[in-house]
Amino acid sequence: YTVWLKRRTPQNIVIGGGSGALPPMIGWAVVSGNITLDSILLFSIIFMWTPPHFWALALYRSGDYEKAGIPMMPVVSGITETKKQIMIYAILLLPITIAPAITGLISIPAGVFVGILGLWFIRHAYLVLKSDGFDEPRAMFRFSILHLFLIFVIFLLDRAITHFI
């Protein structure tokens, strides 16, 4: 990915997100012996989270990417388009993150907590969309790391609690 794809297409982050999203699906298949909707949802959460996470970084580091000749979206498509794409992906991510509460992978209360995190992520995307500087993209990038971590902590705690109750 890094050697070949990253330097050749502005969709590097979207395509590369697939490789970063595969581990939960692979682990699921190894343990259960199959691929299910729930494993696809785990893949989809990481896949849809990856672009807004990295594009937020790319917004405030676009000069570095431009100097290095890496066709990140802000360099190729511009800052305004990148901000729009961050917003679109953040909105599309929300139903995917709460879908495991509908399939039964996690409980409804856990789904509510994950939904609140998703709304906060969308809030960050909105602030990035309306911002002029680099503070909001930097804040979104930092929050995005916590966001994904907390989603999976909630999943883990929910499974542990419901298993022992």
Side-chain angles (χ1 to χ4, degrees):
Y1 160 74
T2 302
V3 174
W4 182 77
L5 182 65
K6 193 170 191 176
R7 296 185 177 274
R8 290 187 168 61
T9 174
Q11 290 298 314
N12 52 20
I13 295 305
V14 176
I15 298 165
S19 62
L22 278 173
M25 185 181 249
I26 293 168
W28 188 289
V30 167
V31 170
S32 70
N34 60 30
I35 301 292
T36 66
L37 176 58
D38 286 329
S39 67
I40 293 168
L41 287 172
L42 295 177
F43 169 90
S44 299
I45 289 168
I46 298 171
F47 181 77
M48 292 301 288
W49 168 88
T50 300
H53 165 73
F54 280 106
W55 288 335
L57 170 69
L59 280 172
Y60 74 89
R61 303 303 292 195
S62 60
D64 294 339
Y65 285 113
E66 189 170 8
K67 287 177 194 171
I70 299 173
M72 293 296 278
M73 186 174 282
V75 174
V76 176
S77 300
I79 291 172
T80 301
E81 182 60 25
T82 303
K83 289 178 178 183
K84 287 178 189 174
Q85 291 298 315
I86 288 172
M87 189 69 194
I88 290 166
Y89 273 81
I91 290 168
L92 292 174
L93 178 61
L94 179 61
I96 295 168
T97 59
I98 60 175
I102 297 165
T103 67
L105 180 61
I106 60 172
S107 68
I108 298 296
V112 169
F113 285 116
V114 169
I116 292 167
L117 283 172
L119 291 173
W120 200 255
F121 193 67
I122 291 170
R123 177 188 173 276
H124 273 281
Y126 178 77
L127 293 173
V128 167
L129 185 66
K130 297 300 179 187
S131 71
D132 289 327
F134 297 127
D135 290 342
E136 294 303 336
R138 186 177 293 114
M140 180 172 184
F141 174 74
R142 289 180 178 152
F143 176 75
S144 69
I145 296 166
L146 181 64
H147 176 243
L148 187 66
F149 173 74
L150 290 176
I151 287 172
F152 284 101
V153 165
I154 290 168
F155 280 30
L156 179 65
L157 290 175
D158 184 66
R159 294 295 288 192
I161 291 167
T162 56
H163 179 73
F164 292 111
I165 291 180

